[in-house]
Amino acid sequence: MTSLLASTQILIVIFHAVVGYSYTTNYITVPVDHFSYTNDDVFQLKYLTNNTFWDAKKGPIFFYTGNEAPIESFSKNTGFMWEISKEFRAMVVFAEHRYYGDSMPYGNDSFNDKKKLGYLTSQQAIADFVDVINHLREDSALNRRRPNPVIAFGGSYGGMLAAWLRMKYPAAVEGAIASSAPIWQFTGMTPCNDFHKVTSSVYRNTSVECAETISASWKAIDNVTETGDGKTWLTDNWRLCKPLKDKDDVQLLKNWASEVYVSLAVVNYPYEANFFAPLPANPIKEVCKPMINHAVDDRELLRSVFRGLSVYFNYTESAKCLDTESAYPDEIIKGWNYQACTEMIMPFCANGGEDDIFEAIPWDFESYADYCETQYDVRPNVDDVEKQYGGKNIDAASNIIFSNGLLDPWSSGGVLKSVSFTVRALLIPDAAHHLDLRASHRNDTESVVRARKTIKRWIKMWIHGYWLRK
Amino acid sequence: MTSLLASTQILIVIFHAVVGYSYTTNYITVPVDHFSYTNDDVFQLKYLTNNTFWDAKKGPIFFYTGNEAPIESFSKNTGFMWEISKEFRAMVVFAEHRYYGDSMPYGNDSFNDKKKLGYLTSQQAIADFVDVINHLREDSALNRRRPNPVIAFGGSYGGMLAAWLRMKYPAAVEGAIASSAPIWQFTGMTPCNDFHKVTSSVYRNTSVECAETISASWKAIDNVTETGDGKTWLTDNWRLCKPLKDKDDVQLLKNWASEVYVSLAVVNYPYEANFFAPLPANPIKEVCKPMINHAVDDRELLRSVFRGLSVYFNYTESAKCLDTESAYPDEIIKGWNYQACTEMIMPFCANGGEDDIFEAIPWDFESYADYCETQYDVRPNVDDVEKQYGGKNIDAASNIIFSNGLLDPWSSGGVLKSVSFTVRALLIPDAAHHLDLRASHRNDTESVVRARKTIKRWIKMWIHGYWLRK
């Protein structure tokens, strides 16, 4: 991705520290194309299963609809499913998203050209999941389908997939827990600056002084780096791995800082955690602590900003220097970048207004589209998601919980008001990105504990209703 | 299609006499592939519109989801939509199914090879329809979407598409009238002999003697044609265009007769109509009149059968000879044959039992699959329809009327019991194939008149509910 566009598309995925859940790794043969008959190619899709607590006769199947990363990372970071599997006597399943991890339709060539890469779409991925579910429900001994109900779970893009799976294939899943799923973060559904507005408000609510310091820092960076001497000063004081040479380097640095502020909001959890870099509990609070100098001179201000940012890049005090290259692993970047150039066109912008901690960032569709064309020979299709999944009109859906932590920037594109009796918004005031799906923790706030109880209640109701109709 | 398989896949489409409805012919550019990004090709899809009575501000759009024939034939044979358009102040739209009529993705080459033909699927066709609907709802002057609600209509395969359109894209249509839509005529959903059982019962209910005569005729044909002399006798007495030479010819003749009995049941309308050949009102009654000789000798029996069949092939007394070649036009056959080799695998069989007017016809999947492989380089995918559309589990759907005439063989695969409050079965005891969608006629029975009233009531309710939610 070209440098100046780096901040316009934001990865949703979260990696996290490992907890030991045990699973069996399985593969299923699925068609590369579920919707046409031009291509007979098939490939192996990976999925993880655990049936320690499963009641094979009547127990539900808890099915995580994998998103844009190797599936193991989701199995490790979705402790909620594991924790409730005993009570529900459920099988726990994590299915990988095609073109991520080991589920490559054309092996190492999967990203080589448009003809091979073009099958990377949410609809194809969802149809893969239906194949896995149908396979899990096969009862070869009895030559019939197992009756066990299936509940879909997903966080972030995975939550979008869980919701869409229920909307498009309600015979496959009885209901969906769509946690922090920004299904409305698309053109015409949500103003492009909402995402950064929510982010800004998290900082302001943590500390007005901190928000104002960040706000002022952009101009301070520009001022200081106007001279060669200033660039050297900032390189030294911020311990940059690569010295600042020109305006583009400065822009890259600002992009990096913007991304960091967003990322911190996304993973602003109440306990120590590891998101690319290890972070303390309530990281924004920590980052904000030293950021108290918005009104002083530029260099002093930037020193305090650096102390704040150090919490992110150097919490363990082991970083040699500050590397402003994107921290996202290439294997994810390349899949999501492509999706963001085809279906997943999420316009982001910031208006740099008074309440905003960010500089103005325009949403420049045309240059973005040009980038996509150069990179992948595709034009972004801004209407595709709305066409396929109904956009704001999801009245006809049923049995979906859209849970959103209100500290989470992604809540900007989430469903924050219940759509109907069975399509419900569940707001978690003091939670960041899909905290509810994570394992329970002694630091969990009351609101996330309550949210998990509510989710369990709905799952019970869906399963109960399912058996009543049987 | 090889001859011996001819009776195993039965075309649903009905052509009919022309009534003069006026429309504008339009074309819209749609992608060849709605579900992947490997292929950027687009083509022109045809659709017909009439807005004589349309209230552009609030009037609904009545949208016919075209099935396997040129779209004009459906516009001519769906008088119900035209007739109620005034009362509803509705726009009337008929959208063509890709690979039929003028809507050829690759022009004259569309059927040339698998890479071009493989986009002929119901899901792609339904996505085309969504594009047409979105286009109709564009309000370029106001740069927003028109709020006018859309109601889908379809008969037979078109009815399946209307129902599936509502299931898959409920944001695009408020409800669907799915008339004589055999959405369950698929593997594992309906016994393969149900179709012929319903057909048989229509004959038996018309005249037990007629049913027994047809039943006995198969053996009589075999007996008579055992000798060369007998073949000549049957050729002469049935006025066959091509003399019977061998067993295969005899089998072809029997296939033809079977198809005729089925076709007659499908179009057993209470008034004169024109289905390939012109037919009298209540054609089965007419066909059965001379079929009164089941207990006499073979030749006498076959003479009476011929008098019955003559009602079908020679009602106007202008046929020079009886042609046992399939009466379906090639342009339809070739599209539907392919669909029947990929998604639309409808197993048909007859067990030749006591209550059956047909000889035993096995459902031989393997040889059918071999035929498909030879013909199109595809293997039939028997699970695809169930996977895509949920099979018997359509609990989560809403706002669909499944109307079925109980005289219609296709009712065997229809939804004959209401699924929920808003997914309803509407039975029309004395109606054949989608009679309810046809123009009203003085001979219409009370039950079809009542059914049309019920359908109108539901449409009103859907539209009312739609505006309440707005």
Side-chain angles (χ1 to χ4, degrees):
Chain A
M1 188 175 256
T2 61
S3 58
L4 295 179
L5 286 161
S7 64
T8 59
Q9 288 297 329
I10 295 170
L11 269 180
I12 312 184
V13 72
I14 291 178
F15 277 113
H16 212 280
V18 177
V19 189
Y21 301 117
S22 76
Y23 46 74
T24 310
T25 302
N26 316 269
Y27 293 88
I28 180 178
T29 303
V30 295
V32 169
D33 190 354
H34 291 271
F35 300 97
S36 301
Y37 295 97
T38 60
N39 181 345
D40 295 334
D41 295 339
V42 296
F43 71 101
Q44 299 296 104
L45 191 91
K46 189 182 205 174
Y47 64 102
L48 318 176
T49 55
N50 173 303
N51 44 25
T52 306
F53 300 116
W54 195 39
D55 168 9
K57 218 171 138 205
K58 295 196 76 182
I61 296 169
F62 287 171
F63 190 94
Y64 189 93
T65 50
N67 28 320
E68 73 284 23
I71 191 61
E72 291 79 3
S73 58
F74 302 107
S75 81
K76 287 168 192 159
N77 286 287
T78 314
F80 178 65
M81 282 172 69
W82 295 96
E83 288 181 1
I84 67 172
S85 67
K86 185 171 180 182
E87 175 179 351
F88 281 90
R89 307 187 65 185
M91 184 197 287
V92 179
V93 183
F94 289 85
E96 194 159 70
H97 193 295
R98 53 167 60 198
Y99 293 86
Y100 293 95
D102 292 324
S103 298
M104 292 293 165
Y106 293 102
N108 291 337
D109 297 334
S110 299
F111 285 81
N112 281 10
D113 63 64
K114 181 173 179 157
K115 292 274 174 205
K116 295 201 175 69
L117 184 50
Y119 300 105
L120 169 48
T121 73
S122 62
Q123 298 132 71
Q124 301 279 7
I126 290 168
D128 291 338
F129 297 151
V130 175
D131 278 0
V132 178
I133 290 167
N134 287 343
H135 175 67
L136 290 169
R137 296 175 87 175
E138 268 165 26
D139 189 338
S140 45
L142 294 172
N143 195 24
R144 63 167 171 83
R145 187 153 288 181
R146 286 179 181 284
N148 310 61
V150 182
I151 307 296
F153 293 76
S156 200
Y157 171 49
M160 295 158 66
L161 296 172
W164 292 338
L165 171 58
R166 170 62 190 170
M167 291 180 197
K168 288 292 194 188
Y169 299 90
V173 296
E174 281 312 302
I177 306 301
S179 175
S180 298
I183 62 164
W184 291 342
Q185 194 76 44
F186 293 93
T187 309
M189 301 183 210
T190 295
C192 65
N193 67 322
D194 270 17
F195 182 91
H196 288 94
K197 222 159 83 182
V198 173
T199 312
S200 296
S201 76
V202 172
Y203 284 85
R204 197 171 317 101
N205 292 340
T206 303
S207 148
V208 172
E209 176 61 29
C210 174
E212 304 219 331
T213 300
I214 296 172
S215 236
S217 69
W218 312 112
K219 185 90 185 75
I221 292 174
D222 288 344
N223 291 342
V224 165
T225 56
E226 257 179 12
T227 63
D229 175 60
K231 288 193 191 77
T232 308
W233 181 87
L234 194 56
T235 301
D236 292 346
N237 278 272
W238 279 31
R239 294 173 53 198
L240 302 181
C241 298
K242 276 194 209 157
L244 296 171
K245 289 192 307 283
D246 52 28
K247 283 217 158 180
D248 278 1
D249 288 346
V250 173
Q251 188 58 49
L252 268 179
L253 177 65
K254 293 199 286 185
N255 289 352
W256 174 84
S258 289
E259 278 178 31
V260 167
Y261 297 131
V262 166
S263 298
L264 284 164
V266 170
V267 295
N268 192 25
Y269 296 133
Y271 43 81
E272 276 203 342
N274 189 345
F275 165 56
F276 297 112
L279 287 175
N282 302 304
I284 289 186
K285 216 166 128 192
E286 299 304 317
V287 165
C288 277
K289 270 184 191 162
M291 295 221 198
I292 48 170
N293 290 90
H294 86 274
V296 296
D297 74 278
D298 289 338
R299 295 196 177 194
E300 191 53 41
L301 187 153
L302 291 180
R303 274 196 206 98
S304 81
V305 168
F306 179 68
R307 282 193 293 276
L309 287 171
S310 298
V311 172
Y312 177 80
F313 96 94
N314 199 16
Y315 177 52
T316 56
E317 301 191 348
S318 60
K320 291 215 164 55
C321 57
L322 194 168
D323 184 357
T324 58
E325 297 279 301
S326 174
Y328 300 117
D330 195 51
E331 64 178 7
I332 296 172
I333 277 284
K334 69 182 181 179
W336 187 254
N337 264 2
Y338 175 79
Q339 291 195 264
C341 269
T342 47
E343 277 184 294
M344 298 297 150
I345 318 303
M346 298 180 172
F348 292 107
C349 68
N351 53 20
E354 241 182 49
D355 293 342
D356 221 334
I357 66 166
F358 298 95
E359 275 195 304
I361 309 169
W363 167 240
D364 180 355
F365 175 74
E366 283 310 320
S367 56
Y368 184 64
D370 291 345
Y371 156 75
C372 293
E373 198 140 11
T374 311
Q375 192 75 359
Y376 300 110
D377 186 23
V378 290
R379 292 289 292 181
N381 189 334
V382 293
D383 298 323
D384 229 19
V385 162
E386 179 163 11
K387 171 175 144 191
Q388 289 299 337
Y389 304 113
K392 289 253 168 167
N393 182 354
I394 55 171
D395 293 358
S398 59
N399 293 7
I400 304 173
I401 305 296
F402 288 101
S403 62
N404 277 287
L406 297 185
L407 299 184
D408 177 13
W410 289 107
S411 66
S412 60
V415 177
L416 303 181
K417 262 174 71 179
S418 290
V419 170
S420 65
F421 180 67
T422 67
V423 177
R424 308 201 60 93
L426 178 59
L427 306 186
I428 317 175
D430 49 10
H433 205 42
H434 54 66
L435 177 60
D436 49 332
L437 286 193
R438 301 179 60 76
S440 56
H441 190 283
R442 62 182 184 284
N443 289 10
D444 280 335
T445 58
E446 205 197 307
S447 73
V448 75
V449 173
R450 205 166 43 233
R452 292 192 185 117
K453 277 190 191 144
T454 305
I455 291 171
K456 285 203 312 188
R457 235 180 4 250
W458 279 102
I459 296 173
K460 274 179 199 156
M461 261 180 59
W462 296 337
I463 294 174
H464 186 68
Y466 173 82
W467 289 116
L468 278 181
R469 286 194 310 280
K470 269 274 147 184
Chain B
M1 188 174 260
T2 61
S3 57
L4 294 179
L5 288 161
S7 63
T8 58
Q9 288 297 330
I10 295 171
L11 269 180
I12 312 183
V13 70
I14 291 180
F15 277 115
H16 211 280
V18 177
V19 190
Y21 301 118
S22 75
Y23 46 74
T24 309
T25 302
N26 315 270
Y27 293 87
I28 181 178
T29 304
V30 294
V32 169
D33 190 354
H34 291 270
F35 300 97
S36 301
Y37 295 97
T38 60
N39 180 346
D40 295 333
D41 296 338
V42 296
F43 71 101
Q44 299 297 105
L45 191 91
K46 190 182 205 173
Y47 64 102
L48 317 177
T49 54
N50 173 303
N51 46 25
T52 307
F53 299 116
W54 195 40
D55 167 9
K57 217 171 139 208
K58 295 196 74 179
I61 296 169
F62 287 172
F63 190 94
Y64 189 93
T65 51
N67 29 320
E68 73 282 24
I71 192 60
E72 291 79 3
S73 57
F74 302 106
S75 81
K76 287 168 192 158
N77 287 285
T78 315
F80 178 65
M81 280 172 70
W82 295 96
E83 289 180 359
I84 67 171
S85 67
K86 186 171 180 182
E87 176 180 351
F88 281 90
R89 307 189 65 187
M91 185 198 286
V92 179
V93 182
F94 289 85
E96 195 159 69
H97 193 297
R98 53 168 60 199
Y99 293 86
Y100 294 95
D102 291 325
S103 299
M104 291 295 166
Y106 293 103
N108 291 336
D109 297 334
S110 298
F111 285 81
N112 281 10
D113 63 64
K114 182 174 179 157
K115 291 274 175 204
K116 296 202 175 68
L117 184 50
Y119 300 104
L120 169 48
T121 73
S122 62
Q123 297 132 72
Q124 301 278 8
I126 289 169
D128 291 338
F129 297 151
V130 175
D131 278 0
V132 179
I133 289 167
N134 287 344
H135 175 67
L136 290 169
R137 296 176 87 176
E138 269 165 24
D139 190 336
S140 43
L142 294 172
N143 196 23
R144 62 167 172 83
R145 187 153 287 181
R146 287 179 180 283
N148 311 61
V150 182
I151 307 295
F153 293 76
S156 199
Y157 171 49
M160 294 158 66
L161 296 172
W164 291 339
L165 171 57
R166 170 65 189 169
M167 290 180 198
K168 287 291 194 190
Y169 299 90
V173 296
E174 282 311 302
I177 307 300
S179 175
S180 298
I183 62 163
W184 291 342
Q185 194 75 44
F186 293 92
T187 309
M189 302 184 209
T190 296
C192 65
N193 68 323
D194 271 16
F195 182 91
H196 288 94
K197 223 159 84 181
V198 173
T199 312
S200 296
S201 76
V202 172
Y203 284 84
R204 195 170 319 100
N205 291 342
T206 303
S207 148
V208 174
E209 176 61 28
C210 174
E212 306 220 328
T213 300
I214 296 171
S215 233
S217 69
W218 312 113
K219 185 91 186 77
I221 291 173
D222 287 344
N223 290 343
V224 165
T225 57
E226 256 178 15
T227 65
D229 175 58
K231 288 192 190 78
T232 307
W233 181 88
L234 193 58
T235 300
D236 293 346
N237 277 270
W238 278 31
R239 295 174 49 199
L240 302 180
C241 299
K242 276 196 208 153
L244 297 171
K245 289 192 308 283
D246 52 28
K247 282 215 157 180
D248 278 0
D249 288 346
V250 173
Q251 187 59 47
L252 267 181
L253 178 64
K254 293 198 287 186
N255 289 351
W256 174 84
S258 289
E259 278 179 31
V260 167
Y261 296 131
V262 166
S263 297
L264 283 165
V266 170
V267 296
N268 193 25
Y269 296 132
Y271 43 80
E272 276 202 342
N274 188 344
F275 166 56
F276 297 113
L279 286 176
N282 300 305
I284 290 186
K285 215 166 129 191
E286 299 305 317
V287 165
C288 276
K289 269 183 192 162
M291 296 221 197
I292 49 170
N293 290 92
H294 86 274
V296 296
D297 75 278
D298 288 338
R299 295 196 176 194
E300 190 54 40
L301 187 154
L302 291 180
R303 274 197 206 97
S304 81
V305 168
F306 180 68
R307 282 193 294 276
L309 287 172
S310 297
V311 172
Y312 177 81
F313 95 94
N314 199 16
Y315 176 53
T316 55
E317 301 190 348
S318 60
K320 290 216 164 59
C321 58
L322 194 169
D323 183 359
T324 58
E325 297 279 303
S326 173
Y328 299 117
D330 195 50
E331 64 178 7
I332 296 173
I333 276 285
K334 69 180 181 181
W336 186 253
N337 264 3
Y338 176 79
Q339 291 195 264
C341 268
T342 47
E343 277 183 293
M344 298 295 150
I345 319 302
M346 299 180 172
F348 293 107
C349 67
N351 54 18
E354 242 183 45
D355 293 342
D356 222 332
I357 67 167
F358 298 95
E359 275 194 305
I361 308 170
W363 167 241
D364 180 354
F365 175 74
E366 282 310 320
S367 55
Y368 182 66
D370 291 344
Y371 155 76
C372 293
E373 198 139 11
T374 311
Q375 192 76 359
Y376 301 109
D377 186 22
V378 291
R379 290 290 292 182
N381 189 335
V382 294
D383 298 323
D384 229 20
V385 162
E386 179 163 12
K387 172 175 143 191
Q388 289 299 337
Y389 304 113
K392 290 250 168 168
N393 181 353
I394 55 172
D395 293 359
S398 58
N399 294 5
I400 305 173
I401 305 296
F402 288 102
S403 62
N404 277 287
L406 298 186
L407 300 183
D408 176 12
W410 288 106
S411 67
S412 60
V415 177
L416 302 181
K417 261 174 71 177
S418 289
V419 170
S420 65
F421 179 68
T422 68
V423 177
R424 311 207 49 101
L426 178 60
L427 306 185
I428 318 176
D430 48 11
H433 203 44
H434 53 66
L435 177 60
D436 48 331
L437 286 193
R438 301 179 59 77
S440 57
H441 190 283
R442 62 182 185 285
N443 289 11
D444 278 336
T445 58
E446 205 195 308
S447 74
V448 75
V449 172
R450 205 166 43 232
R452 291 192 186 118
K453 277 189 192 146
T454 304
I455 291 170
K456 286 204 310 189
R457 232 175 12 243
W458 278 102
I459 296 174
K460 274 178 199 157
M461 261 178 60
W462 295 338
I463 293 174
H464 186 67
Y466 172 81
W467 288 115
L468 279 181
R469 285 194 310 279
K470 270 272 148 187

